[in-house]
Amino acid sequence: MLKPHGQEQLLRFWGELDDAGRQQLARQIEAVDFEQIAALYEQRSETHDWAALARRASPPHAVRIADRIGKNADEGRRRGAEALAAGKVGVLLVAGGQGSRLGFAHAKGLFPIGPVSGASLLQIHFEKTLVTARRHGASVPLYMMTSPVTHDEQVAFLQEHDRFGISAEDVVLFCQGTMPAVDAASGKLLLAERDSLFLSPDGHGGTVAALSASGALPDMRRRGIEHLFYLQVDNPLAPIGDTEFIGDHLIADSDFTSMACAKQTPHDRLGNFARIDGRLHVIEYSDLPDDVAERRDASGSLVFWAGSVAIHIFRVAFIERMLALKDALPFHIARKKVPHVNDVGERVEPKKPNALKFERFIFDLLPHANNPLVVEYAEQEVFAPVKNAPGARRDTPEYVQRFMVGQHRDWLRAAGTRVADGVAVEISPRWALDAEGVAARADRPRSIDKTTYLNDAI
Ligand code: UTP
């Protein structure tokens, strides 16, 4: 099987493996599509000419913040609430990434991000989902994608915490696929150990195939789930169940609606929403040429203002349609440092990128979507991802906690509570889901002068 593909090196240590090692390696090798890997390796230097595409791109159709006031917002909220109450909306949480930049020893979902409580990312997302369901009096199932790297630990953690109050029936866990890494110079697959391939999760775009392989789609059909609110585990600000966002998606009759934040500078490290030849795309920041990124309109605003914050709503029927379309999601090829076992059995810890990894991205679904829509939100309301270890300029745990405290302080102040400057305050989703939830609490404190965690049993 390996010979026609020139990959016999994978069996170099076969003679010294025990039965379990042989079985593991054989299973992993059987699961690899060697033709696909060879084809991807061949394409490694073919790059999409994003520069040319970006030069003929135009900004996306979007609902801007200024449009989202008054009557239109009310209508959006009404439609969103209706869909939730009818049990048509599920949550899709992706938590399969390796979290390599953060350098946390566990799956990122376990990271204690709560600035006062130390609540984990998973606790926050699960409680938001639970409270959304309670608020609308319907079930809001949570579909959570793990990967072989993060599965066992997250399953055990959720079990230990009783899924943070969500019933077992309303949590559907499914594991995404993996892709091997290949040596950049030769295209040969790398071994992580003598009895194991180097495999990594196949990107958040792996969600589509994993939804299908796991049986989650029939589960959605059975329950009557028509739309999925997609978020990534690293963003505790993701406004799960935001009725206006869901409503805008429904009003536009969209297959795929994305949340955007206005970029602060032309070179913000966010994907850029752009319309190219009538279809909506996300152009990665590294692919957007400087002159295009810096383009401004007559009023001085950035033309490509819309940065992606990885929060979307998809129609379930759209995902099903995409499954029938082979290669709807292309692989992106990244040069990475991949530690491995070399031909003579030594461990190699590369100092420079030595390998190619293959990943799919969820936003590549966008060009296939009918009536795609972008909806603008203020960054401080919806987006602060935990990406980097302490010391980085942004997206560190401290940075995210500052956003969380800032948001909760704003909610309280807007509802009339006096919060002293510089005081850390955190609101559990169980106490209040959002600004509206805070305003509705009759037991809201009149003033807060010391570190406070507002929490509630449900
Ligand atoms: P990132 O691409 O930022 O990766 O994922 P990461 O794993 O969090 O961190 P690094 O790059 O290794 O430092 C964004 C979101 O997509 C999920 C992650 O769990 C995170 O929620 N993701 C990413 C997956 O679910 N699967 C993947 O294969 C990749």
Side-chain angles (χ1 to χ4, degrees):
M1 198 178 142
L2 296 175
K3 209 162 185 178
H5 303 287
Q7 299 283 0
E8 306 97 295
Q9 80 287 351
L10 297 178
L11 298 180
R12 187 165 316 261
F13 306 106
W14 187 260
E16 56 188 78
L17 301 182
D18 60 13
D19 263 3
R22 286 181 172 186
Q23 273 179 33
Q24 165 171 284
L25 185 57
R27 240 191 344 263
Q28 291 179 343
I29 289 175
E30 264 169 2
V32 173
D33 180 343
F34 286 95
E35 297 209 348
Q36 178 190 47
I37 300 291
L40 288 170
Y41 184 69
E42 283 308 307
Q43 291 163 24
R44 68 192 179 283
S45 34
E46 274 172 37
T47 45
H48 224 61
D49 190 358
W50 279 112
L53 291 172
R55 290 205 169 87
R56 61 168 202 268
S58 49
H61 287 304
V63 179
R64 300 294 307 251
I65 287 175
D67 307 326
R68 290 176 42 236
I69 42 171
K71 206 156 145 272
N72 290 346
D74 291 346
E75 172 66 1
R77 279 199 284 269
R78 191 182 63 72
R79 291 284 301 271
E82 246 172 44
L84 281 160
K88 292 182 179 173
V89 183
V91 171
L92 173 55
L93 168 64
V94 302
Q98 290 170 300
S100 41
R101 283 169 287 173
L102 181 60
F104 179 53
H106 304 280
K108 210 189 258 187
L110 276 59
F111 191 87
I113 195 62
V116 180
S117 67
S120 62
L121 285 162
L122 285 179
Q123 175 171 348
I124 291 169
H125 298 310
F126 272 62
E127 290 187 345
K128 283 187 183 179
T129 306
L130 177 74
V131 174
T132 300
R134 299 260 162 110
R135 184 184 272 185
H136 297 281
S139 129
V140 177
L142 196 161
Y143 299 89
M144 172 168 153
M145 184 170 82
T146 61
S147 68
V149 193
T150 66
H151 187 81
D152 292 351
E153 205 176 25
Q154 295 191 109
V155 169
F157 184 73
L158 288 172
Q159 216 157 357
E160 186 188 325
H161 293 279
D162 241 349
R163 296 162 307 281
F164 298 102
I166 307 187
S167 70
E169 186 197 354
D170 281 345
V171 177
V172 179
L173 286 150
F174 62 102
C175 192
Q176 72 178 108
T178 55
M179 282 292 276
V182 301
D183 178 74
S186 64
K188 293 197 187 288
L189 270 69
L190 295 170
L191 288 173
E193 302 292 343
R194 291 173 182 226
D195 61 359
S196 155
L197 301 185
F198 183 95
L199 297 169
S200 43
D202 57 358
H204 37 67
T207 310
V208 177
L211 274 176
S212 158
S214 64
L217 286 170
D219 181 85
M220 290 170 197
R221 282 288 170 213
R222 186 178 58 74
R223 294 171 189 254
I225 299 295
E226 294 178 10
H227 306 277
L228 291 171
F229 185 105
Y230 168 100
L231 72 147
Q232 303 188 332
V233 75
D234 52 19
N235 177 17
L237 261 52
I240 293 177
D242 185 288
T243 48
E244 207 174 320
F245 186 52
I246 299 169
D248 284 341
H249 166 79
L250 295 171
I251 291 167
D253 192 23
S254 160
D255 278 340
F256 190 131
T257 298
S258 283
M259 215 174 259
C261 289
K263 286 160 53 185
Q264 307 293 314
T265 74
H267 304 292
D268 281 3
R269 301 178 128 221
L270 294 174
N272 294 271
F273 290 105
R275 214 146 34 102
I276 306 169
D277 304 333
R279 309 303 297 182
L280 190 58
H281 290 257
V282 169
I283 307 180
E284 287 188 79
Y285 61 85
S286 48
D287 288 327
L288 193 66
D290 287 352
D291 60 304
V292 179
E294 286 160 13
R295 239 180 241 168
R296 293 187 184 268
D297 62 19
S299 70
S301 307
L302 289 174
V303 170
F304 294 101
W305 59 270
S308 173
V309 293
I311 298 172
H312 316 286
I313 300 189
F314 336 107
R315 207 199 287 273
V316 173
F318 170 62
I319 303 281
E320 289 172 334
R321 221 167 67 228
M322 289 302 98
L323 281 167
L325 198 75
K326 195 175 165 338
D327 297 331
L329 291 179
F331 277 98
H332 293 245
I333 303 178
R335 287 183 175 266
K336 295 271 163 111
K337 286 188 268 190
V338 169
H340 59 279
V341 171
N342 71 10
D343 283 354
V344 290
E346 296 161 349
R347 286 209 64 79
V348 180
E349 294 286 341
K351 301 257 177 317
K352 289 193 307 225
N354 60 317
L356 306 180
K357 279 190 176 180
F358 309 105
E359 277 194 280
R360 286 177 153 144
F361 297 160
I362 197 76
F363 54 69
D364 283 325
L365 288 174
L366 260 182
H368 300 283
N370 292 326
N371 307 327
L373 179 70
V374 168
V375 185
E376 184 191 4
Y377 275 69
E379 184 174 353
Q380 69 275 15
E381 287 176 9
V382 297
F383 185 59
V386 187
K387 298 277 186 200
N388 298 319
R393 198 175 60 79
R394 52 172 295 162
D395 303 343
T396 60
E398 295 76 3
Y399 172 95
V400 172
Q401 288 171 337
R402 255 200 320 277
F403 266 74
M404 292 175 77
V405 168
Q407 179 177 60
H408 296 172
R409 192 194 299 132
D410 287 351
W411 289 351
L412 285 160
R413 284 182 176 163
T417 297
R418 202 185 54 77
V419 185
D421 286 337
V423 163
V425 51
E426 179 185 346
I427 297 175
S428 154
R430 286 172 170 270
W431 194 83
L433 183 60
D434 48 20
E436 196 186 327
V438 173
R441 295 277 323 198
D443 59 348
R444 209 172 48 244
R446 292 166 64 95
S447 70
I448 295 180
D449 299 306
K450 60 176 195 312
T451 301
T452 299
Y453 178 45
L454 294 166
N455 189 20
D456 220 33
I458 286 189

